Amino acid sequence: MEMNIGEMHPHEKCIICGSELYVTDHGNHEITYHCSSDAARFWDYDRGTIEQAKAKEHWDKSRLEVYLTAK
């Protein structure tokens, strides 16, 4: 299974808001996904603000790790 950073994953949805997840990291046998919604884009908020903390929490809770197995 080849996935690229930023690639959307239409089969999995964010547990918080229902938005599609996208690839944020991949390694040897795992792929990490996070929420694609604006509400999870913590880097768009000023550092140390309540809004940034809420967005970061959304981002963190949306994380999905898929472990791949060899066939």
Side-chain angles (χ1 to χ4, degrees), residues 5-54:
I5 302 292
E7 188 172 332
M8 298 300 282
H9 190 290
H11 305 295
E12 296 292 343
K13 305 291 182 186
C14 175
I15 63 169
I16 307 224
C17 69
S19 294
E20 289 183 359
L21 300 181
Y22 73 102
V23 177
T24 55
D25 191 23
H26 60 85
N28 293 331
H29 298 289
E30 80 179 69
I31 301 171
T32 303
Y33 299 95
H34 282 94
C35 180
S36 64
S37 75
D38 289 343
R41 293 174 55 97
F42 65 93
W43 54 88
D44 286 345
Y45 297 96
D46 290 331
R47 285 192 138 181
T49 62
I50 291 172
E51 293 81 8
Q52 184 194 39
K54 287 180 183 178

